[in-house]
Amino acid sequence: MKFDLHSHTHCSDGVLSPAELVMRATARGVNALAITDHDTVAGLAPAQAAISEQQLPLQLVNGVEISTRWQQLEIHIVGLNIDPDCPLFLERLALQQQRRLERAEEMARRLEKSQIPDVLPAVLALANGAALTRTHFARHLVNIGKASSINNVFKKYLGRGKTGYVPSNWVEMADAVQWIHDAGGVAVLAHPLKYQLTTKWVKRLAEQFAAAGGDAIEIISPQQTPVQKRELWALCQLHGLTASVGSDFHQQTSWNDLGKNLYLTDDVTPVWHNWALN
Ligand code: AMP
Ligand code: MN
Ligand code: MN
Ligand code: MN
């Protein structure tokens, strides 16, 4: 079975609709796909509807990616197998969305001071009701010629410490783990090597995530080396965690696609080891 347990739709900052995403996953040979949009579960019902209507041979895993705070850093925690109808969970995600809106307003104010006016209406139009992310800001700034690529927008304006960067009051990492458990899911530390931390800090992060009751670490992303995968699996073993795999797909690129390079070796206990799968 091929698993991809981290992906985005246009309900947050992915480019495909939920229906397009599940069709692409099926075409790419994925058997179990988690949709993990930023602080929203809005893509799950339409994805399941598309799977049922077209009788796709794909199991949908109900997921979410929560932006959290840990030690002044922004750490992403993926929830898998959460109940997307849990009222308390939906209330909590609504709080995160409110924080996204407030952050966006402040980001627009800061960009305006840097002579980039009228950003907010354009970003709201681009997002079209989706969870408001920095990616939407980045797309707009590329559109108006402020940078040549999304990545360059982050380097110039939106990355930590840059003009348009606004730290947000996200939920604490440990509380996000609890939110996910309260919604019946398992908590996964997302892409631990993407936070630009030293090895010492990655270890500290894994330790505190485990201490907070976290369940698994994403040890496989398409661009990670075999050595990195082994080191992350060693961290899982040290703390009694299982391993997850995910492409973090937002759109097709030369280095990333659904289900790409997500192989786990036999010695690894996957996060799905005790799941009932069809
Ligand atoms: P937000 O959750 O609004 O803070 O936005 C974070 C999102 O921005 C991430 O999920 C990525 O999709 C995207 N992102 C962050 N850094 C970069 C980067 N350097 N290049 C392209 N996209 C990025
Ligand atoms: Mn994203
Ligand atoms: Mn992330
Ligand atoms: Mn993601």
Side-chain angles (χ1 to χ4, degrees), residues 12 52 55 79 98 108 114-115 143 187 204 224 233 275-276 278:
S12 66
S52 303
Q55 303 190 340
Q98 181 60 29
S114 302
Q115 317 305 324
N143 287 348
R204 196 173 284 174
Q224 265 164 219
W233 174 237
W275 292 2
N278 299 329

Side-chain angles (χ1 to χ4, degrees), residues 67-227:
S67 289
T68 80
R69 248 179 322 137
W70 177 73
Q71 304 273 344
Q72 324 262 18
L73 297 165
E74 291 189 41
I75 302 297
H76 290 178
I77 303 297
V78 159
L80 298 175
N81 280 333
I82 43 99
D83 170 6
D85 300 316
C86 169
L88 178 60
F89 193 56
L90 292 174
E91 214 175 278
R92 288 166 161 173
L93 292 184
L95 187 65
Q96 292 277 102
Q97 294 299 342
Q98 181 60 29
R99 290 170 177 150
R100 287 187 170 275
L101 181 59
E102 285 162 11
R103 181 188 62 159
E105 287 164 354
E106 181 59 24
M107 285 172 72
R109 275 193 286 274
R110 293 202 192 179
L111 289 168
E112 180 134 22
K113 280 189 194 151
S114 302
Q115 317 305 324
I116 312 180
D118 306 325
V119 171
L120 194 60
V123 168
L124 286 169
L126 272 181
N128 194 22
L132 269 182
T133 70
R134 279 185 287 167
T135 309
H136 297 105
F137 278 80
R139 287 182 190 144
H140 173 61
L141 293 187
V142 169
N143 287 348
I144 61 171
K146 292 290 171 188
S148 57
S149 69
I150 302 266
N151 199 24
N152 283 338
V153 181
F154 275 89
K155 277 193 191 148
K156 223 166 142 183
Y157 297 104
L158 303 182
R160 203 174 142 88
K162 306 293 177 192
T163 331
Y165 179 78
V166 177
S168 187
N169 185 27
W170 304 127
V171 56
E172 278 284 341
M173 178 173 76
D175 293 334
V177 169
Q178 189 60 49
W179 286 10
I180 289 165
H181 288 169
D182 289 345
V186 293
V188 183
L189 175 59
H191 45 62
L193 302 185
K194 269 208 193 159
Y195 306 114
Q196 296 171 333
L197 303 175
T198 60
T199 307
K200 189 173 121 187
W201 274 89
V202 171
K203 287 184 174 163
R204 196 173 284 174
L205 172 60
E207 186 190 324
Q208 294 205 9
F209 172 70
D215 303 285
I217 297 180
E218 221 171 69
I219 70 165
I220 310 282
S221 314
Q223 281 177 288
Q224 265 164 219
T225 67
V227 171

Side-chain angles (χ1 to χ4, degrees), residues 8 12-13 38 65 133 135 248 250:
H8 296 272
S12 66
D13 59 353
H38 297 288
E65 180 172 20
T133 70
T135 309
D248 200 4
H250 288 72

